[in-house]
Amino acid sequence: MFTTPITRRSVLAGAVVTGFSAALTACSGGSVTLPGASSASSTANDAVFKNAPIADASLILSGSTMDTIKKRGKLVVATALDAPLVSQQDPANPQNVNGFDADLAKLLAIYILGKPTVEWVPSASESREALLSNGTVDVVFSTYTITTKRAEQIAFAGPYFMSGLAVAVKSDNTTIKGIDDLGGKNVIVQTGTPSVAEVPQKQPTAKLTPFATTPEGVQALTQGRGDAYVQDYVLLASQSSSNKDIKVVGAPFTSEPYGIGLKHGDAAFKTFVNTWLTTIEKQGLWGQVWKNSLGSVGDTPMPTAPSIGSVPGS
């Protein structure tokens, strides 16, 4: 498992350039509906969806959120829609949304409905709590960091993933394997992010070279103005998916727990979602989804799924 103290995560949406805006314009009401089995993401996950578990009828309690979703015939999910490897809308087919979070959401839809029918609602970090509280969405899958403050407004299932600060290097670098190799190195960091404080704690002899934005940091790395770039793991993985000149090495050296956002006070649905999460982890489907998305870039080893309820707020 990726472990160590919890840190604040940088916002993905501000750093990743995509064709999301143009694609979203074509979507009525700001949401995208995936009709049944046609919502399957990349072909790499076809086998995952085919083998996905379906909840026993006894778990769909009468009058529960699960019952409402099943009768409605679709799972309504809030996500970013513009995060490569996490929840990326296909510009050529706006109804397709692929990535780690998106494909986990499809697995949850299968668990409830028997098919991956999902309606996607685009969300920003400042709107997620409202979307849950007012019942616009059933769940939030959006690299949603669990905090005790947020848990006062909404509930979290999970955690389902531990992100954190990680190390990126040029693709041809074979000497730096992670944070342990950054002593005495010129390390690129982003101003205002946890890396500014965390790198000196781990490697006091490292020389920091700060840049204001993630694209500037990536450019500096590819131009050789630093030996490594330290930033959020998921953000670096997304960047490396579209830039073959860089790669992520090693596991995150801090921990940031991601949870599935749920409406506050719905204990039955939280238990249900946690049961589903435990099931797909035991069956190896969680690991396959990671391998086909975040695990498809860089040299990061397969993580162990974090224990359910293992962090404050979960």
Coordinates of all heavy atoms in Angstrom, one line a residue, residues 103-198:
D103 N -14.0 3.9 -14.8 CA -14.2 2.4 -15.0 C -14.7 1.8 -13.7 O -15.4 0.8 -13.7 CB -13.0 1.8 -15.5 CG -12.7 2.2 -17.0 OD1 -13.7 2.5 -17.7 OD2 -11.5 2.2 -17.4
L104 N -14.2 2.3 -12.5 CA -14.7 1.8 -11.3 C -16.2 2.2 -11.1 O -17.0 1.4 -10.7 CB -14.0 2.5 -10.1 CG -12.5 1.9 -9.9 CD1 -11.9 2.7 -8.7 CD2 -12.5 0.4 -9.6
A105 N -16.6 3.4 -11.6 CA -18.0 3.8 -11.6 C -18.9 2.8 -12.4 O -20.0 2.4 -12.0 CB -18.2 5.2 -12.1
K106 N -18.3 2.4 -13.6 CA -19.1 1.4 -14.4 C -19.2 0.1 -13.7 O -20.3 -0.6 -13.8 CB -18.3 1.3 -15.7 CG -18.3 2.5 -16.6 CD -17.4 2.3 -17.8 CE -17.1 3.7 -18.4 NZ -16.0 3.6 -19.5
L107 N -18.2 -0.3 -13.0 CA -18.3 -1.6 -12.2 C -19.4 -1.5 -11.1 O -20.1 -2.4 -10.8 CB -16.9 -1.9 -11.6 CG -15.9 -2.4 -12.5 CD1 -14.5 -2.6 -11.8 CD2 -16.3 -3.7 -13.2
L108 N -19.5 -0.3 -10.5 CA -20.5 -0.1 -9.5 C -21.9 -0.2 -10.1 O -22.9 -0.8 -9.6 CB -20.3 1.2 -8.7 CG -21.4 1.5 -7.7 CD1 -21.5 0.4 -6.6 CD2 -21.1 2.9 -7.0
A109 N -22.0 0.4 -11.3 CA -23.3 0.4 -12.1 C -23.7 -1.1 -12.4 O -24.8 -1.5 -12.2 CB -23.2 1.2 -13.3
I110 N -22.7 -1.9 -12.8 CA -22.9 -3.3 -13.1 C -23.4 -4.0 -11.8 O -24.3 -4.8 -11.9 CB -21.7 -4.0 -13.7 CG1 -21.3 -3.4 -15.0 CG2 -21.9 -5.5 -13.8 CD1 -20.0 -3.9 -15.6
Y111 N -22.8 -3.7 -10.7 CA -23.1 -4.3 -9.4 C -24.6 -4.1 -9.1 O -25.3 -5.0 -8.5 CB -22.2 -3.8 -8.3 CG -22.2 -4.6 -7.0 CD1 -21.8 -5.9 -7.0 CD2 -22.7 -3.9 -5.9 CE1 -21.8 -6.6 -5.8 CE2 -22.7 -4.6 -4.6 CZ -22.3 -5.9 -4.6 OH -22.3 -6.6 -3.4
I112 N -25.1 -2.9 -9.4 CA -26.5 -2.6 -9.0 C -27.4 -3.0 -10.1 O -28.5 -3.5 -9.9 CB -26.6 -1.0 -8.8 CG1 -25.7 -0.6 -7.6 CG2 -28.0 -0.7 -8.5 CD1 -25.6 0.9 -7.4
L113 N -27.1 -2.7 -11.4 CA -28.0 -2.8 -12.5 C -27.8 -4.1 -13.4 O -28.7 -4.4 -14.2 CB -27.9 -1.6 -13.4 CG -28.1 -0.2 -12.8 CD1 -27.6 0.9 -13.7 CD2 -29.6 0.0 -12.4
G114 N -26.6 -4.7 -13.3 CA -26.3 -5.8 -14.2 C -25.7 -5.3 -15.5 O -25.4 -6.1 -16.3
K115 N -25.6 -4.0 -15.7 CA -25.0 -3.5 -16.9 C -24.4 -2.1 -16.6 O -24.9 -1.4 -15.6 CB -26.1 -3.3 -18.0 CG -27.3 -2.5 -17.6 CD -28.4 -2.6 -18.7 CE -29.6 -1.8 -18.3 NZ -30.7 -1.8 -19.3
P116 N -23.4 -1.6 -17.4 CA -22.7 -0.4 -17.0 C -23.4 0.9 -17.6 O -22.8 1.7 -18.3 CB -21.4 -0.6 -17.7 CG -21.7 -1.4 -18.9 CD -22.8 -2.3 -18.5
T117 N -24.7 1.0 -17.2 CA -25.4 2.2 -17.6 C -25.2 3.4 -16.7 O -25.6 3.3 -15.5 CB -26.9 1.9 -17.7 OG1 -27.1 0.8 -18.5 CG2 -27.6 3.1 -18.4
V118 N -24.5 4.4 -17.2 CA -24.1 5.5 -16.3 C -24.4 6.8 -17.0 O -24.3 7.0 -18.2 CB -22.5 5.5 -16.1 CG1 -22.1 6.7 -15.3 CG2 -22.1 4.2 -15.5
E119 N -24.9 7.8 -16.2 CA -25.1 9.2 -16.6 C -24.0 10.0 -15.9 O -23.9 10.0 -14.7 CB -26.5 9.7 -16.2 CG -26.6 11.2 -16.6 CD -28.0 11.7 -16.3 OE1 -29.0 11.0 -16.5 OE2 -28.0 12.9 -15.7
W120 N -23.2 10.6 -16.7 CA -22.1 11.4 -16.2 C -22.4 12.9 -16.0 O -23.0 13.5 -17.0 CB -20.9 11.3 -17.1 CG -20.4 9.9 -17.4 CD1 -20.6 9.2 -18.6 CD2 -19.6 9.1 -16.6 NE1 -20.1 8.0 -18.5 CE2 -19.4 7.8 -17.3 CE3 -19.1 9.2 -15.3 CZ2 -18.7 6.8 -16.7 CZ3 -18.4 8.2 -14.7 CH2 -18.2 7.0 -15.4
V121 N -22.2 13.4 -14.8 CA -22.4 14.8 -14.6 C -21.1 15.5 -14.3 O -20.4 15.1 -13.4 CB -23.4 15.0 -13.4 CG1 -23.5 16.5 -13.0 CG2 -24.7 14.4 -13.6
P122 N -20.7 16.4 -15.2 CA -19.4 17.0 -14.9 C -19.4 17.8 -13.6 O -20.3 18.5 -13.3 CB -19.2 18.0 -16.1 CG -20.5 18.1 -16.8 CD -21.3 16.9 -16.4
S123 N -18.3 17.7 -12.9 CA -18.2 18.4 -11.6 C -16.8 19.1 -11.4 O -15.8 18.6 -11.9 CB -18.4 17.4 -10.5 OG -17.3 16.5 -10.4
A124 N -16.9 20.2 -10.7 CA -15.6 20.8 -10.3 C -15.5 20.6 -8.8 O -16.4 20.2 -8.1 CB -15.7 22.3 -10.5
S125 N -14.3 20.8 -8.2 CA -14.0 20.5 -6.8 C -15.0 21.3 -5.9 O -15.4 20.8 -4.8 CB -12.6 20.9 -6.5 OG -12.3 22.2 -6.7
E126 N -15.4 22.5 -6.3 CA -16.2 23.3 -5.4 C -17.7 22.9 -5.5 O -18.5 23.4 -4.7 CB -16.1 24.8 -5.8 CG -16.5 25.2 -7.1 CD -15.4 25.1 -8.2 OE1 -14.4 24.5 -7.9 OE2 -15.6 25.6 -9.3
S127 N -18.1 22.0 -6.4 CA -19.5 21.7 -6.6 C -19.9 20.3 -6.1 O -21.1 20.0 -6.1 CB -19.9 21.9 -8.1 OG -19.3 20.9 -8.9
R128 N -18.9 19.5 -5.7 CA -19.2 18.1 -5.5 C -20.1 17.9 -4.3 O -21.0 17.1 -4.3 CB -17.9 17.4 -5.3 CG -17.0 17.3 -6.5 CD -15.7 16.6 -6.3 NE -14.8 17.3 -5.4 CZ -13.5 17.1 -5.3 NH1 -12.9 16.2 -6.1 NH2 -12.7 17.8 -4.5
E129 N -19.9 18.6 -3.2 CA -20.7 18.5 -2.0 C -22.2 18.8 -2.3 O -23.1 18.1 -1.9 CB -20.2 19.3 -0.8 CG -19.0 18.8 -0.2 CD -17.7 19.2 -0.9 OE1 -17.8 20.0 -1.8 OE2 -16.6 18.6 -0.5
A130 N -22.4 19.9 -3.1 CA -23.7 20.3 -3.4 C -24.4 19.3 -4.3 O -25.6 19.0 -4.1 CB -23.7 21.7 -4.1
L131 N -23.7 18.7 -5.2 CA -24.3 17.7 -6.1 C -24.8 16.5 -5.4 O -25.9 15.9 -5.7 CB -23.3 17.3 -7.2 CG -23.0 18.3 -8.3 CD1 -21.8 17.8 -9.1 CD2 -24.2 18.6 -9.2
L132 N -24.1 16.1 -4.3 CA -24.5 15.0 -3.5 C -25.7 15.4 -2.6 O -26.7 14.7 -2.4 CB -23.4 14.5 -2.6 CG -22.3 13.7 -3.4 CD1 -21.1 13.5 -2.5 CD2 -22.8 12.4 -3.8
S133 N -25.5 16.6 -1.9 CA -26.5 17.0 -0.9 C -27.9 17.2 -1.5 O -28.9 16.9 -0.9 CB -26.1 18.3 -0.2 OG -24.9 18.1 0.5
N134 N -27.9 17.8 -2.8 CA -29.2 18.1 -3.4 C -29.8 16.9 -4.2 O -30.8 17.1 -4.9 CB -29.2 19.4 -4.2 CG -28.2 19.3 -5.4 OD1 -27.9 18.2 -5.9 ND2 -27.8 20.5 -5.8
G135 N -29.1 15.8 -4.2 CA -29.6 14.6 -4.9 C -29.4 14.6 -6.4 O -30.0 13.8 -7.1
T136 N -28.6 15.5 -6.9 CA -28.3 15.6 -8.4 C -27.6 14.3 -8.8 O -27.9 13.8 -9.9 CB -27.5 16.8 -8.8 OG1 -28.2 18.0 -8.4 CG2 -27.2 16.9 -10.3
V137 N -26.7 13.8 -8.0 CA -25.9 12.6 -8.4 C -26.0 11.6 -7.3 O -26.3 11.9 -6.1 CB -24.4 12.9 -8.7 CG1 -24.3 14.0 -9.8 CG2 -23.7 13.4 -7.4
D138 N -25.8 10.3 -7.6 CA -25.8 9.3 -6.6 C -24.4 9.2 -5.9 O -24.4 8.9 -4.7 CB -26.1 7.9 -7.3 CG -27.4 7.9 -8.0 OD1 -28.4 8.3 -7.4 OD2 -27.5 7.5 -9.1
V139 N -23.4 9.3 -6.7 CA -22.0 9.1 -6.2 C -21.1 10.1 -6.9 O -21.3 10.6 -8.0 CB -21.5 7.7 -6.4 CG1 -22.2 6.7 -5.6 CG2 -21.5 7.4 -7.9
V140 N -19.9 10.4 -6.2 CA -18.9 11.2 -6.8 C -17.6 10.3 -6.9 O -17.1 9.8 -5.9 CB -18.5 12.4 -6.0 CG1 -17.3 13.1 -6.6 CG2 -19.7 13.4 -6.0
F141 N -17.1 10.1 -8.2 CA -15.8 9.5 -8.4 C -15.0 10.5 -9.1 O -15.1 10.8 -10.3 CB -16.0 8.3 -9.4 CG -16.4 7.0 -8.8 CD1 -17.8 6.7 -8.6 CD2 -15.5 6.0 -8.3 CE1 -18.2 5.5 -8.1 CE2 -15.9 4.8 -7.8 CZ -17.3 4.6 -7.6
S142 N -14.1 11.2 -8.3 CA -13.4 12.3 -8.9 C -12.2 12.7 -8.1 O -12.0 13.8 -7.7 CB -14.4 13.6 -9.0 OG -13.8 14.6 -9.7
T143 N -11.3 11.7 -7.9 CA -10.0 11.9 -7.1 C -10.4 12.7 -5.9 O -9.7 13.7 -5.6 CB -8.9 12.5 -8.0 OG1 -9.3 13.8 -8.5 CG2 -8.5 11.6 -9.1
Y144 N -11.4 12.3 -5.2 CA -12.0 13.0 -4.1 C -11.3 12.7 -2.8 O -11.5 11.6 -2.2 CB -13.5 12.6 -4.0 CG -14.4 13.6 -3.4 CD1 -15.8 13.3 -3.4 CD2 -14.0 14.8 -2.9 CE1 -16.7 14.1 -2.9 CE2 -15.0 15.7 -2.3 CZ -16.3 15.3 -2.4 OH -17.2 16.2 -1.8
T145 N -10.4 13.6 -2.3 CA -9.7 13.3 -1.1 C -10.5 13.3 0.1 O -11.3 14.2 0.4 CB -8.5 14.3 -0.9 OG1 -7.7 14.3 -2.1 CG2 -7.7 14.0 0.3
I146 N -10.4 12.3 0.9 CA -11.2 12.2 2.2 C -10.6 13.1 3.2 O -9.4 13.0 3.5 CB -11.2 10.7 2.7 CG1 -11.8 9.8 1.7 CG2 -11.9 10.6 4.1 CD1 -11.7 8.3 2.1
T147 N -11.4 14.0 3.8 CA -11.0 14.8 4.9 C -12.1 14.8 5.9 O -13.3 14.6 5.6 CB -10.7 16.3 4.5 OG1 -12.0 16.9 4.1 CG2 -9.7 16.3 3.3
T148 N -11.8 15.1 7.2 CA -12.8 15.1 8.2 C -13.8 16.3 8.0 O -14.9 16.2 8.4 CB -12.2 15.2 9.6 OG1 -11.2 16.3 9.7 CG2 -11.4 13.9 9.9
K149 N -13.2 17.4 7.5 CA -14.1 18.6 7.2 C -15.1 18.2 6.2 O -16.3 18.6 6.3 CB -13.2 19.7 6.8 CG -14.0 21.0 6.6 CD -13.1 22.2 6.2 CE -13.9 23.5 6.1 NZ -13.0 24.6 5.7
R150 N -14.7 17.6 5.1 CA -15.7 17.2 4.0 C -16.7 16.2 4.6 O -17.9 16.2 4.2 CB -14.9 16.7 2.8 CG -14.2 17.7 2.0 CD -13.4 17.1 0.9 NE -12.8 18.1 0.0 CZ -11.9 17.9 -0.8 NH1 -11.3 16.7 -0.9 NH2 -11.4 18.8 -1.6
A151 N -16.2 15.3 5.5 CA -17.1 14.3 6.0 C -18.2 14.8 6.9 O -19.1 14.1 7.3 CB -16.3 13.2 6.7
E152 N -18.1 16.1 7.2 CA -19.2 16.8 8.0 C -20.4 17.1 7.1 O -21.5 17.2 7.5 CB -18.7 18.0 8.6 CG -17.7 17.8 9.7 CD -17.1 19.1 10.2 OE1 -17.5 20.2 9.7 OE2 -16.2 19.1 11.1
Q153 N -20.1 17.1 5.7 CA -21.2 17.5 4.8 C -21.7 16.3 4.0 O -22.8 16.3 3.6 CB -20.6 18.6 3.8 CG -20.2 19.8 4.5 CD -19.6 20.8 3.4 OE1 -20.4 21.3 2.6 NE2 -18.4 21.1 3.5
I154 N -20.7 15.4 3.7 CA -21.1 14.2 2.8 C -20.4 13.0 3.5 O -19.7 13.1 4.5 CB -20.6 14.4 1.4 CG1 -19.1 14.7 1.3 CG2 -21.4 15.6 0.7 CD1 -18.3 13.5 1.0
A155 N -20.7 11.8 2.9 CA -20.1 10.6 3.4 C -19.1 10.1 2.4 O -19.2 10.4 1.2 CB -21.2 9.6 3.7
F156 N -18.2 9.3 2.9 CA -17.2 8.7 2.0 C -17.2 7.2 2.1 O -17.1 6.7 3.3 CB -15.8 9.2 2.3 CG -15.5 10.6 1.8 CD1 -15.4 11.6 2.7 CD2 -15.2 10.8 0.5 CE1 -15.1 12.9 2.3 CE2 -14.9 12.1 0.0 CZ -14.8 13.1 0.9
A157 N -17.3 6.5 1.0 CA -17.0 5.0 1.0 C -15.5 4.9 0.7 O -14.9 5.7 0.0 CB -17.9 4.3 0.0
G158 N -14.9 3.8 1.1 CA -13.5 3.6 0.9 C -12.7 3.9 2.1 O -13.1 3.6 3.2
P159 N -11.4 4.3 1.9 CA -10.8 4.8 0.7 C -10.6 3.7 -0.3 O -10.4 2.5 0.0 CB -9.5 5.4 1.2 CG -9.1 4.6 2.4 CD -10.4 4.3 3.1
Y160 N -10.6 4.1 -1.6 CA -10.4 3.1 -2.7 C -9.0 3.3 -3.4 O -8.6 2.4 -4.2 CB -11.5 3.2 -3.7 CG -11.5 4.5 -4.6 CD1 -10.8 4.5 -5.8 CD2 -12.1 5.6 -4.1 CE1 -10.8 5.7 -6.6 CE2 -12.2 6.8 -4.9 CZ -11.5 6.8 -6.1 OH -11.5 8.0 -6.8
F161 N -8.3 4.4 -3.0 CA -6.9 4.6 -3.6 C -6.1 5.5 -2.8 O -6.7 6.5 -2.2 CB -7.1 5.1 -5.0 CG -5.8 5.2 -5.8 CD1 -5.1 4.1 -6.2 CD2 -5.2 6.4 -6.0 CE1 -3.9 4.1 -6.9 CE2 -4.0 6.5 -6.7 CZ -3.3 5.4 -7.1
M162 N -4.8 5.3 -2.7 CA -3.9 6.2 -2.0 C -3.0 6.9 -3.1 O -2.2 6.2 -3.7 CB -3.1 5.5 -1.0 CG -3.8 5.1 0.3 SD -4.1 6.6 1.3 CE -4.8 5.7 2.7
S163 N -3.2 8.2 -3.3 CA -2.3 8.9 -4.1 C -1.3 9.6 -3.2 O -1.1 9.2 -2.1 CB -3.1 10.0 -4.9 OG -2.3 10.6 -5.9
G164 N -0.7 10.6 -3.7 CA 0.4 11.3 -2.9 C 1.4 11.9 -3.9 O 1.4 11.7 -5.1
L165 N 2.5 12.5 -3.3 CA 3.6 13.0 -4.1 C 4.4 11.9 -4.7 O 4.7 10.9 -4.0 CB 4.4 13.9 -3.2 CG 3.8 15.2 -2.8 CD1 4.8 16.0 -1.8 CD2 3.4 16.1 -4.0
A166 N 4.8 12.0 -5.9 CA 5.6 11.0 -6.6 C 6.7 11.8 -7.4 O 6.8 13.0 -7.4 CB 4.8 10.2 -7.5
V167 N 7.5 11.0 -8.0 CA 8.7 11.5 -8.8 C 8.6 11.2 -10.2 O 8.3 10.0 -10.6 CB 10.0 10.9 -8.2 CG1 11.2 11.4 -9.0 CG2 10.1 11.2 -6.7
A168 N 8.8 12.2 -11.1 CA 8.9 12.0 -12.5 C 10.3 12.3 -13.0 O 10.9 13.3 -12.5 CB 7.8 12.8 -13.3
V169 N 10.7 11.6 -14.0 CA 12.1 11.9 -14.6 C 11.9 11.8 -16.1 O 10.9 11.4 -16.6 CB 13.1 10.9 -14.1 CG1 13.3 11.0 -12.6 CG2 12.7 9.4 -14.5
K170 N 13.0 12.1 -16.8 CA 13.0 11.9 -18.3 C 12.9 10.4 -18.6 O 13.4 9.6 -17.8 CB 14.2 12.6 -18.9 CG 14.2 14.1 -18.8 CD 15.5 14.7 -19.4 CE 15.5 14.5 -20.9 NZ 16.6 15.3 -21.6
S171 N 12.3 10.1 -19.7 CA 12.1 8.7 -20.0 C 13.3 7.9 -20.1 O 13.3 6.7 -19.9 CB 11.3 8.6 -21.3 OG 10.0 9.2 -21.2
D172 N 14.4 8.5 -20.5 CA 15.7 7.7 -20.7 C 16.5 7.7 -19.4 O 17.6 7.2 -19.4 CB 16.5 8.3 -21.8 CG 16.9 9.8 -21.6 OD1 16.5 10.4 -20.5 OD2 17.6 10.4 -22.5
N173 N 16.0 8.2 -18.3 CA 16.7 8.2 -17.0 C 16.6 6.8 -16.4 O 15.5 6.3 -16.2 CB 16.1 9.2 -16.0 CG 17.0 9.4 -14.8 OD1 17.2 8.5 -14.1 ND2 17.3 10.7 -14.5
T174 N 17.7 6.2 -16.0 CA 17.7 4.9 -15.4 C 18.3 4.8 -14.0 O 18.4 3.8 -13.4 CB 18.5 3.9 -16.3 OG1 19.9 4.4 -16.5 CG2 17.9 3.7 -17.7
T175 N 18.7 6.0 -13.5 CA 19.4 6.0 -12.2 C 18.5 6.5 -11.1 O 18.7 6.1 -9.9 CB 20.6 7.0 -12.3 OG1 20.1 8.3 -12.7 CG2 21.6 6.5 -13.3
I176 N 17.5 7.3 -11.4 CA 16.5 7.7 -10.3 C 15.3 6.8 -10.3 O 14.6 6.7 -11.3 CB 16.1 9.2 -10.6 CG1 17.3 10.1 -10.5 CG2 15.0 9.6 -9.6 CD1 17.0 11.6 -10.8
K177 N 15.1 6.2 -9.2 CA 14.0 5.2 -9.0 C 12.9 5.7 -8.1 O 11.9 5.1 -7.9 CB 14.5 3.9 -8.5 CG 15.7 3.3 -9.3 CD 15.2 2.9 -10.7 CE 16.4 2.1 -11.4 NZ 16.0 1.7 -12.8
G178 N 13.1 6.9 -7.5 CA 12.1 7.4 -6.6 C 12.7 8.5 -5.7 O 13.9 8.9 -5.9
I179 N 12.0 8.8 -4.6 CA 12.4 9.9 -3.7 C 13.8 9.6 -3.0 O 14.6 10.5 -2.8 CB 11.4 10.1 -2.6 CG1 11.7 11.3 -1.7 CG2 11.1 8.9 -1.8 CD1 11.7 12.6 -2.4
D180 N 14.1 8.3 -2.8 CA 15.4 8.0 -2.1 C 16.6 8.3 -3.0 O 17.7 8.4 -2.4 CB 15.4 6.5 -1.8 CG 14.4 6.1 -0.8 OD1 13.9 7.0 0.0 OD2 14.0 4.9 -0.7
D181 N 16.4 8.6 -4.2 CA 17.6 8.9 -5.1 C 17.7 10.3 -5.4 O 18.5 10.7 -6.3 CB 17.4 8.1 -6.4 CG 17.4 6.6 -6.3 OD1 18.2 6.1 -5.5 OD2 16.6 5.9 -6.9
L182 N 17.0 11.2 -4.7 CA 17.0 12.6 -5.0 C 18.0 13.4 -4.1 O 18.0 14.7 -4.2 CB 15.6 13.2 -4.9 CG 14.6 12.7 -5.9 CD1 13.3 13.5 -5.8 CD2 15.1 12.7 -7.3
G183 N 18.7 12.8 -3.3 CA 19.7 13.5 -2.5 C 20.7 14.2 -3.4 O 21.3 13.6 -4.2
G184 N 21.0 15.5 -3.2 CA 21.9 16.2 -4.0 C 21.5 16.6 -5.4 O 22.2 17.2 -6.2
K185 N 20.3 16.2 -5.7 CA 19.8 16.4 -7.1 C 19.0 17.8 -7.2 O 18.6 18.3 -6.2 CB 18.8 15.3 -7.5 CG 19.4 13.9 -7.5 CD 20.5 13.7 -8.5 CE 21.0 12.3 -8.5 NZ 22.1 12.1 -9.5
N186 N 18.9 18.2 -8.4 CA 18.1 19.4 -8.7 C 16.7 19.0 -9.0 O 16.4 18.3 -10.0 CB 18.7 20.1 -10.0 CG 18.0 21.4 -10.3 OD1 17.0 21.8 -9.6 ND2 18.5 22.1 -11.3
V187 N 15.8 19.3 -8.0 CA 14.4 18.8 -8.1 C 13.5 19.9 -8.4 O 13.4 21.0 -7.7 CB 14.1 18.2 -6.7 CG1 12.6 17.7 -6.8 CG2 15.0 17.0 -6.4
I188 N 12.7 19.7 -9.4 CA 11.7 20.7 -9.8 C 10.4 20.5 -9.0 O 10.0 19.4 -8.7 CB 11.3 20.5 -11.3 CG1 12.5 20.8 -12.2 CG2 10.1 21.4 -11.7 CD1 12.4 20.2 -13.6
V189 N 9.9 21.6 -8.5 CA 8.6 21.5 -7.7 C 7.7 22.6 -8.2 O 8.1 23.5 -8.9 CB 8.9 21.7 -6.2 CG1 9.8 20.6 -5.6 CG2 9.6 23.1 -5.9
Q190 N 6.5 22.6 -7.8 CA 5.5 23.6 -8.1 C 5.2 24.5 -6.9 O 4.9 24.0 -5.9 CB 4.2 23.0 -8.7 CG 3.2 24.0 -9.2 CD 2.1 23.4 -10.0 OE1 2.2 22.3 -10.6 NE2 0.9 24.0 -9.9
T191 N 5.3 25.8 -7.1 CA 5.1 26.7 -6.1 C 3.7 26.5 -5.5 O 2.7 26.3 -6.2 CB 5.2 28.2 -6.6 OG1 6.4 28.3 -7.2 CG2 5.0 29.2 -5.5
G192 N 3.6 26.5 -4.2 CA 2.3 26.4 -3.5 C 1.8 25.0 -3.3 O 0.6 24.8 -2.9
T193 N 2.5 24.0 -3.7 CA 2.1 22.6 -3.5 C 2.9 22.0 -2.4 O 3.9 22.5 -1.9 CB 2.4 21.8 -4.8 OG1 3.8 21.7 -5.0 CG2 1.7 22.5 -6.0
P194 N 2.4 20.8 -1.9 CA 3.1 20.2 -0.7 C 4.5 19.8 -1.0 O 5.3 19.6 -0.1 CB 2.2 18.9 -0.5 CG 0.9 19.3 -1.0 CD 1.1 20.2 -2.2
S195 N 4.9 19.6 -2.3 CA 6.3 19.2 -2.7 C 7.3 20.2 -2.1 O 8.4 19.8 -1.8 CB 6.4 19.1 -4.2 OG 6.1 20.3 -4.8
V196 N 7.0 21.5 -2.0 CA 7.9 22.5 -1.5 C 8.4 22.2 -0.1 O 9.6 22.4 0.2 CB 7.3 23.9 -1.6 CG1 8.2 24.9 -1.0 CG2 6.9 24.2 -3.0
A197 N 7.5 21.6 0.7 CA 7.9 21.3 2.1 C 8.3 19.9 2.2 O 9.2 19.5 3.0 CB 6.7 21.6 3.0
E198 N 7.7 19.0 1.5 CA 7.9 17.5 1.6 C 9.3 17.1 1.1 O 10.0 16.2 1.7 CB 6.8 16.7 1.0 CG 5.5 16.9 1.6 CD 5.4 16.1 3.0 OE1 6.3 15.3 3.3 OE2 4.4 16.4 3.7

